Every structure is written in structure tokens, then in C-alpha cells.
Amino acid sequence: MTTVPLPTATTRWRCTLCGNLTRFDVTRSSKVVEYVHLDLAGEPTVEEREVVSETIESVRCRWCNAVDRIELVDRPGSAS
């Protein structure tokens, strides 16, 4: 399994098979610390969430179902 790089302020994802730029299913693993507040009835509410680490495991194109065929391309108007 190869990790997929996250898009940045100047890049975005693109499917190399069909050209899709907008719809993807992303599988990620996260390690988080949450502050959970329980009301008097016992209902939990997450009031704070800190992401300690996060890894994108795979990205699947919603248009053609290609798995791990995603590349980073420049966003329009970016001067990279």
C-alpha cells in the first residue's frame, strides 16, 4: 500500500485514468485526542478534537472506481 500525498494550497488531486478533479473516496487512519462532555442524561458531545497523526491510506475515484491512480496537479491560478 502506498500513501497518497495530501493536496496543498497550490495542488489538488486528479485521477490519472479519467481526469476527475472533484469526487474521491478517501480511506484514512487517524489518531486523535478528544474532550468528551457527557450531559446529565449520559449523552456524549465532543467539544474539542486534536488530530495527533493522520495517514491517507488510499484514494478511490468516484467516477471510474480507479484505486490509487491519483496524482497531485497544480490548482488553477497557482504560481508553482
Side-chain angles (χ1 to χ4, degrees):
M1 165 181 29
T2 61
T3 59
V4 179
L6 282 170
T8 66
T10 60
T11 61
R12 64 182 176 175
W13 285 331
R14 178 184 175 277
C15 177
T16 60
L17 196 60
C18 73
N20 170 32
L21 292 165
T22 59
R23 303 286 191 262
F24 302 96
D25 288 317
V26 179
T27 302
R28 68 179 80 215
S29 294
S30 300
K31 182 176 181 179
V32 298
V33 176
E34 294 178 333
Y35 169 64
V36 178
H37 176 205
L38 299 173
D39 65 16
L40 294 177
E43 291 296 319
T45 302
V46 176
E47 293 189 355
E48 294 176 15
R49 184 174 193 257
E50 175 189 354
V51 178
V52 177
S53 65
E54 184 171 59
T55 303
I56 302 293
E57 295 179 2
S58 69
V59 179
R60 181 176 63 87
C61 176
R62 266 289 173 115
W63 289 0
C64 71
N65 284 327
V67 177
D68 297 328
R69 298 284 308 261
I70 307 306
E71 65 180 355
L72 284 180
V73 297
D74 290 338
R75 289 185 190 218
S78 67
S80 34

